[in-house]
C-alpha cells in the first residue's frame, strides 16, 4: 500500500478524503478516452492500495466520454465499492444517465445534484 | 431576432441542431464514424449532441458484434456442412469412402480416362473368414478386423487409387492408373498377401484370407455399375475356386485365376 493521498493526470485529479471516500475531478470540457479510463483506474488502485473504495465523480464540467472508456470502467469496477455521479448541467446529467442505464455497471451507482448528498450516501460504503 | 438564452442566438441553435440532424442521418445510413460537435456550454443541445454520439457508438458496437456473430455462425455452419458432407460420404467404421462416394469417384475418373492408357481397374475384395472371426471373438473383434483390413488395403494404394467399404466385409478398390491386366493383378496379389498376415485383437491372434475379383475398364465394360458388377462376379468365381484367390474378369471364360496366399 502507498501513502499517496492525491494523484493528478493529464485530464484528472484524484484524491482521498479523510472519511475514506475517493474523489475525482476531470479537467473541464476535455473528452476522455480509453487511455484516460485506464489511467484513472490505476490511480484509484494506487490511492486505495487495491481495496475497493467509494468514489465521488464530479462530472459537471467533464467533457464527453468515449464508449471504450465507459466499458473499461464497467470492466474494472472491482476497484470501487460504490459510485456517486454529481451532475450540474444537462450534458453531465445526460452522460451520467447514459453510463448508468446503457453501460449498466453492477456496483451501486447513483446520480446526485450536490456533493453533500453524494458523500452522505457514499459513506455507507466505506469499509 | 436574437435569442440571448444561454448566450446563443436562435440561428446559433438552429445551426447546432442542424449539425446534430446531419449526424443522425449519417448514423441512419450506417456511417458510424459520424459525430456531432459537443460544445463547451454543457447545455441541452450539447447534451443532445453527446447523447447522439453515445448512441452512435453503441449502435456501431452492436452492429459490429452482430456482424462478428454472423461471421462466426457462418463459419460454424460451413464446418458443420463440411462434416455432414464428409459423414455422408464415409463409412462410419473404417473412415473409408462409402458406396455413394465410390460411385461418384468412379463416374468422375472413368469419364476422364476412358480408352486411355494407363486405365482403370476395379478390385472387389471379400474377407473369407470375417464371419468366423465375428462368431468366435464377437462383433467388436469383427469391427476391429474391418478397421485393420481397411488400413492395410489403403497402405498398398498409390496416389491415383482409392478404397471404399461397400458392404459388411466387402471392399472395392479403384486403381486409377493401371498399365496392364498384369499390373492390376499384381496390386490385387499384394493387397491379398497383406490381408493374409495375422491380426491381433484382445490377446488373440487370427488370420484370414481374402477373395479378390479384378475387372479392367474396357469398351465392353463402360461405367461404374458394369465395372463393379464384373469385379463382383470375378470375386464370386474366386470364392468358388477356393480361399485366398484372385480372379481377373473375362467376358469369355476361362477367367485368369491367381492364388493370393500360400
Amino acid at each position: 500500500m502507498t501513502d499517496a493521498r492525491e494523484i493528478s493526470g493529464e485530464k484528472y485529479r484524484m484524491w482521498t478524503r479523510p472519511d475514506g471516500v475517493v474523489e475525482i475531478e476531470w479537467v473541464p470540457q476535455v473528452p476522455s478516452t480509453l487511455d484516460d479510463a485506464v489511467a484513472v483506474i490505476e490511480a484509484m488502485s494506487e490511492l486505495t492500495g487495491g481495496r475497493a473504495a467509494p468514489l465521488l465523480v464530479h462530472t459537471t464540467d467533464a467533457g464527453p466520454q468515449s464508449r471504450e472508456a465507459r466499458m473499461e470502467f464497467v470492466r474494472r469496477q472491482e476497484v470501487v465499492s460504490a459510485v456517486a455521479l454529481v451532475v450540474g448541467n444537462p450534458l453531465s446529467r445526460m452522460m451520467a444517465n447514459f453510463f448508468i442505464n446503457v453501460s449498466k455497471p453492477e456496483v451501486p451507482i447513483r446520480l446526485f445534484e450536490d456533493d453533500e448528498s453524494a458523500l452522505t450516501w457514499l459513506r455507507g460504503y466505506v469499509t | 431576432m436574437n435569442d440571448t438564452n444561454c448566450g446563443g442566438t436562435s440561428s446559433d441553435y438552429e445551426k447546432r441542431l442542424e449539425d446534430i440532424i446531419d449526424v443522425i442521418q449519417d448514423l441512419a445510413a450506417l456511417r458510424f464514424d459520424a459525430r456531432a460537435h459537443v460544445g463547451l456550454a454543457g447545455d441541452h443541445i450539447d447534451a443532445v449532441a453527446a447523447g447522439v454520439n453515445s448512441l452512435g457508438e453503441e449502435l456501431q458496437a452492436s452492429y459490429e458484434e452482430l456482424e462478428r456473430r454472423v461471421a462466426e455462425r457462418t463459419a460454424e455452419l460451413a464446418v458443420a456442412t463440411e462434416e455432414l458432407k464428409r459423414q455422408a460420404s464415409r463409412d462410419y467404421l473404417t473412415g473409408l469412402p462409402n458406396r455413394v462416394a465410390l460411385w461418384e469417384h468412379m463416374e468422375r475418373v472413368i469419364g476422364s480416362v476412358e480408352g486411355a492408357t494407363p486405365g482403370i481397374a476395379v478390385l472387389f475384395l471379400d474377407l473369407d473368414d470375417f464371419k468366423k472371426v465375428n462368431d468366435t471373438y464377437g462383433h467388436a473383434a469383427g469391427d476391429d478386423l474391418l478397421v485393420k483390413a481397411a488400413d492395410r488395403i489403403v497402405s498398398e494404394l498409390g496416389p491415383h487409387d482409392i478404397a471404399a467399404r461397400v458392404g459388411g466385409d466387402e471392399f472395392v478398390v479403384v486403381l486409377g492408373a493401371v498399365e496392364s491386366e498384369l499390373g492390376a493383378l499384381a496390386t490385387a496379389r499384394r493387397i491379398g498377401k497383406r490381408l493374409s498376415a495375422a491380426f491381433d485383437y484382445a490377446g488373440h491372434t487370427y488370420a484370414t484370407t481374402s477373395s479378390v475379383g479384378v475387372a479392367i475398364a474396357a469398351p465392353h465394360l463402360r461405367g461404374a455399375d458394369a465395372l463393379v458388377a464384373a469385379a463382383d462376379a470375378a470375386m464370386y468365381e474366386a470364392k468358388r475356386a477356393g480361399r485366398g484367390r484372385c480372379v481377373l474378369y473375362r467376358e469369355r471364360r476361362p477367367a485368369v485365376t491367381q492364388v493370393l496366399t500360400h
Side-chain angles (χ1 to χ4, degrees), chain A residues 53-64:
Chain A
L55 177 68
L56 188 153
V57 186
H58 296 279
T59 73
T60 303
D61 294 322

Side-chain angles (χ1 to χ4, degrees), chain B residues 17-257:
Chain B
L17 287 170
E18 279 171 9
D19 175 45
I20 295 168
I21 290 168
D22 286 345
V23 170
I24 291 171
Q25 287 172 339
D26 282 342
L27 293 176
L30 306 184
R31 289 191 285 274
F32 295 122
D33 57 344
R35 293 290 179 269
H37 174 69
V38 180
L40 301 180
D43 60 10
H44 286 93
I45 295 182
D46 284 336
V48 171
V52 166
N53 289 347
S54 297
L55 285 173
E57 287 179 309
E58 293 297 327
L59 189 63
Q60 180 174 14
S62 299
Y63 192 85
E64 287 171 355
E65 174 65 11
L66 192 63
E67 282 196 322
R68 189 189 64 74
R69 285 190 193 180
V70 167
E72 198 176 278
R73 295 291 178 276
T74 303
E76 285 173 2
L77 192 62
V79 170
T81 303
E82 197 54 41
E83 176 58 19
L84 279 175
K85 200 171 151 189
R86 195 190 69 78
Q87 285 179 11
S89 63
R90 293 277 157 179
D91 169 50
Y92 73 97
L93 181 64
T94 61
L96 292 180
N98 61 16
R99 183 182 290 272
V100 173
L102 172 72
W103 250 251
E104 283 176 2
H105 173 80
M106 287 186 71
E107 296 296 351
R108 201 165 50 243
V109 297
I110 287 170
S112 65
V113 302
E114 199 160 32
T117 303
I120 290 170
V122 171
L123 318 183
F124 203 111
L125 295 94
D126 183 278
L127 304 180
D128 294 326
D129 298 310
F130 176 70
K131 187 174 182 310
K132 195 170 113 189
V133 171
N134 244 353
D135 293 345
T136 308
Y137 301 109
H139 290 292
D143 287 351
D144 186 66
L145 170 60
L146 292 170
V147 171
K148 286 173 177 163
D151 289 344
R152 290 185 186 184
I153 293 168
V154 169
S155 71
E156 294 296 331
L157 302 184
H160 302 290
D161 311 331
I162 72 157
R165 183 179 172 218
V166 295
D169 61 341
E170 293 176 337
F171 298 88
V172 168
V173 170
V174 179
L175 303 178
V178 290
E179 297 287 347
S180 63
E181 292 178 347
L182 287 177
L185 284 168
T187 302
R189 185 179 173 79
R190 215 171 52 241
I191 292 173
K193 284 195 120 176
R194 188 92 168 77
L195 289 174
S196 68
F199 290 91
D200 294 317
Y201 176 75
H204 303 288
T205 299
Y206 53 85
T208 177
T209 55
S210 54
S211 300
V212 185
V214 180
I216 310 288
H220 62 280
L221 283 180
R222 288 176 180 274
D225 288 342
L227 263 173
V228 174
D232 191 19
M235 185 274 290
Y236 275 104
E237 197 158 327
K239 284 263 186 203
R240 279 195 295 274
R243 298 158 53 86
R245 288 174 192 277
C246 170
V247 169
L248 175 66
Y249 176 83
R250 294 269 196 226
E251 197 177 18
R252 291 178 184 171
R253 306 294 170 99
V256 174
T257 304

